[in-house]
Amino acid sequence: MKFKWDKKYLYWGTTALVVLLIAILFNFVLQNNYAFRTAFKSAIKISAPIIDGIIIAFLIDSLVKWFEKKFFPIFNRKIYDYRNLSERGQKIVRTLSIVLSYIVLVLLTAGFVLAIIPQISESIKEIKVQFPAYKTNFELWLNRISTRYPEIRKIINTLVDNYSEEFENWQNTVLIPWLQNSAASLSLYIINAFSAIWNIIIGFIVSIYILMKKETFKGQFKKITYALLNIKNGNIVIKNTRMALNKFSGFIIGKILDSIIIGLICFIVCRIVGIEYDILLAMIIGVTNIIPFFGPFIGAIPSTILLLLINPIHALYFVIFIIVLQILDGNVIGPKILGSSTGISSFWVIFAITIFGGLWGVAGMIIGVPLFAVIYTIIKSILDINLKNKELTNNTADYIYLDYIDVETKQLVETEVVIPEKKVRRKDKKSKAEDKNGDK
């Protein structure tokens, strides 16, 4: 008797085998978790210059494109389409665009360092010198408040009695050992800093090669994709990759620009109001604003504590200003710059920051939102394709009050809303009967 292959059984058998192999691999990874983590960290450390180069090229690519598409066509209208140039012309335009982009980047960085860093350093030195005076002024302010308002004094005394011992234990068991370990590890920090600087220098060189050959790398990626996958799946991979790059570049570059604007607004308002250390505070708020949602509040906490020691009234003004500034940024500035670069709701933003921040720290909080937006978009596109194949709508609003879907017509049937009848009181019934008699 000749055996017949059934495609359905072959499909399910292959699927079961793949699932089994994945389960075995996952179990192996779990059992050797430490070894895999060590190997992964070593691989990341070795490839750090390449990763830095990719990040630098990714961030500066928009400026290179601007020089190619906007700047050089001013001098020669034939450059409007980069692909129409000869190979030599393309190389010249690309080289000049990269050189000008790096000149702009170096000038901006040098200007920032020369203008901001010395003033921030002076502010930190002044804070260190004036800290005892700030502490004394803060204690005098607390005494005046507690004398004027005895209820507040009772609350403060209760808090001091309850938590002074815990604070002292925390100082002895956590803070002082950490400072001692930090001082002992200072040489290691210096070595790591020099290593990071060296990686960035190599990364700049790598980024130049990436920018010079970016079309070649794109072509190689597409060729490999279509070689390994069928045309339909290859198109899906290319489309999702392009979408991921657009979301990442739009979000990261837009967030940097948004943070610069927020920092400038903070500096201008603090200078007008007369709040102390305006450049330092603007720097803190601008840098932490890169972290979505939680960033401004992370920066506002140390800034407010500092102002509370110097001038409590200014601390109150600063808190009110930060709240207003974040409302303005969330509703006006941010949407104007970022637009719909992520395409996810506020809940998923908080979700992404929490999950990826827990996994990768500050870096995860920054890249978590665009990364989750990519994952969200891919899952949504898969679900939309499956719903389309089943001839069902992909509009979420149509499923909110859904009771069931008719199998034959595939029509969405909503849950019936039963409105209870209003009970009529006896007095109302009597009055209605009198009205009827009167009508007769």
Side-chain angles (χ1 to χ4, degrees):
M1 182 177 178
K2 192 175 180 180
F3 180 76
K4 292 184 178 180
W5 283 96
D6 192 323
K7 290 184 177 180
K8 182 173 71 172
Y9 295 130
L10 180 62
Y11 170 79
W12 285 112
T14 306
T15 304
L17 179 62
V18 171
V19 171
L20 180 62
L21 290 174
I22 292 174
I24 294 172
L25 180 62
F26 183 70
N27 183 54
F28 178 75
V29 171
L30 286 179
Q31 290 181 350
N32 299 273
N33 185 24
Y34 179 75
F36 273 97
R37 280 191 300 168
T38 304
F40 180 74
K41 287 180 180 178
S42 300
I44 292 295
K45 187 176 181 180
I46 293 169
S47 58
I50 307 297
I51 296 172
D52 290 344
I54 293 172
I55 293 172
I56 293 169
F58 182 76
L59 293 175
I60 207 170
D61 184 50
S62 298
L63 190 57
V64 174
K65 288 179 180 177
W66 182 85
F67 277 110
E68 288 178 352
K69 296 180 180 180
K70 301 291 184 182
F71 182 74
F72 285 109
I74 297 173
F75 307 101
N76 187 352
R77 296 183 64 83
K78 293 181 181 178
I79 308 180
Y80 271 111
D81 192 345
Y82 178 78
R83 292 173 295 181
N84 290 339
L85 294 173
S86 63
E87 185 177 349
R88 184 169 177 271
Q90 289 181 357
K91 189 174 290 186
I92 291 172
V93 172
R94 175 60 53 80
T95 303
L96 291 174
S97 298
I98 292 173
V99 169
L100 290 173
S101 298
Y102 277 105
I103 288 174
V104 171
L105 180 64
V106 170
L107 288 176
L108 289 175
T109 305
F112 175 79
V113 170
L114 294 175
I116 304 298
I117 300 302
Q119 297 191 43
I120 292 176
S121 178
E122 288 297 324
S123 299
I124 294 173
K125 289 179 181 177
E126 187 178 346
I127 291 169
K128 186 178 179 181
V129 172
Q130 297 291 336
F131 187 79
Y134 294 153
K135 184 179 179 182
T136 304
N137 291 335
F138 182 69
E139 290 174 352
L140 291 174
W141 178 77
L142 278 181
N143 289 331
R144 287 198 301 269
I145 294 295
S146 60
T147 304
R148 188 177 300 177
Y149 304 102
E151 297 83 4
I152 297 178
R153 185 170 189 170
K154 291 180 182 178
I155 295 172
I156 293 173
N157 290 333
T158 303
L159 291 174
V160 169
D161 293 338
N162 292 337
Y163 295 102
S164 59
E165 187 176 351
E166 293 182 12
F167 179 72
E168 188 175 349
N169 292 333
W170 176 80
Q171 277 184 311
N172 295 328
T173 58
V174 179
L175 182 61
I176 295 175
W178 179 80
L179 291 173
Q180 291 173 346
N181 293 331
S182 299
S185 305
L186 183 60
S187 59
L188 182 61
Y189 293 150
I190 294 172
I191 293 172
N192 290 336
F194 278 110
S195 176
I197 293 171
W198 176 252
N199 289 338
I200 291 173
I201 292 171
I202 302 298
F204 269 103
I205 299 172
V206 171
S207 68
I208 293 172
Y209 281 100
I210 292 174
L211 291 170
M212 285 295 296
K213 297 290 183 181
K214 63 180 181 178
E215 284 81 13
T216 303
F217 292 136
K218 288 179 183 178
Q220 289 173 344
F221 172 76
K222 293 174 183 178
K223 183 175 72 173
I224 294 170
T225 301
Y226 286 112
L228 297 177
L229 304 173
N230 58 42
I231 295 176
K232 182 179 178 181
N233 291 331
N235 289 336
I236 293 173
V237 170
I238 298 299
K239 178 184 176 183
N240 287 327
T241 304
R242 189 180 293 114
M243 176 269 299
L245 290 173
N246 290 336
K247 281 189 179 294
F248 265 92
S249 61
F251 180 82
I252 298 298
I253 295 172
K255 197 63 184 172
I256 292 173
L257 181 60
D258 176 59
S259 299
I260 292 172
I261 293 172
I262 292 299
L264 288 173
I265 294 174
C266 182
F267 167 73
I268 292 169
V269 173
C270 289
R271 177 59 62 90
I272 293 172
V273 176
I275 295 177
E276 296 79 359
Y277 304 116
D278 44 16
I279 294 179
L280 178 62
L281 298 181
M283 179 75 176
I284 294 172
I285 296 300
V287 171
T288 55
N289 191 72
I290 296 176
I291 301 173
F293 197 81
F294 297 111
F297 302 103
I298 294 172
I301 290 171
S303 303
T304 305
I305 293 173
L306 175 62
L307 289 176
L308 199 61
L309 295 173
I310 302 169
N311 191 330
I313 300 300
H314 283 181
L316 178 61
Y317 292 161
F318 184 77
V319 170
I320 296 171
F321 163 68
I322 290 297
I323 294 172
V324 173
L325 182 62
Q326 290 313 306
I327 293 173
L328 180 67
D329 183 38
N331 293 281
V332 180
I333 301 174
K336 286 288 183 182
I337 297 173
L338 297 172
S340 56
S341 58
T342 58
I344 57 177
S345 63
S346 300
F347 169 78
W348 292 118
V349 170
I350 299 173
F351 177 85
I353 294 170
T354 304
I355 298 299
F356 291 104
L359 290 174
W360 302 325
V362 176
M365 296 177 77
I366 294 172
I367 68 169
V369 174
L371 180 59
F372 183 80
V374 171
I375 298 171
Y376 181 90
T377 305
I378 292 173
I379 295 174
K380 183 177 181 298
S381 63
I382 294 171
L383 296 176
D384 288 345
I385 290 171
N386 290 337
L387 289 170
K388 185 178 179 182
N389 293 335
K390 295 177 182 180
E391 299 179 2
L392 297 174
T393 178
N394 61 358
N395 186 12
T396 304
D398 295 334
Y399 293 89
I400 294 176
Y401 300 106
L402 176 68
D403 188 15
Y404 66 94
I405 299 176
D406 191 280
V407 179
E408 296 180 357
T409 63
K410 296 182 179 179
Q411 183 179 358
L412 277 65
V413 181
E414 294 184 358
T415 306
E416 293 184 3
V417 180
V418 180
I419 302 174
E421 295 182 359
K422 293 182 179 180
K423 294 181 179 180
V424 183
R425 294 179 298 178
R426 289 184 179 182
K427 187 176 181 181
D428 295 334
K429 289 182 179 179
K430 186 177 179 182
S431 61
K432 287 182 179 177
E434 290 175 355
D435 290 339
K436 287 181 180 179
N437 292 331
D439 293 338
K440 289 179 181 180

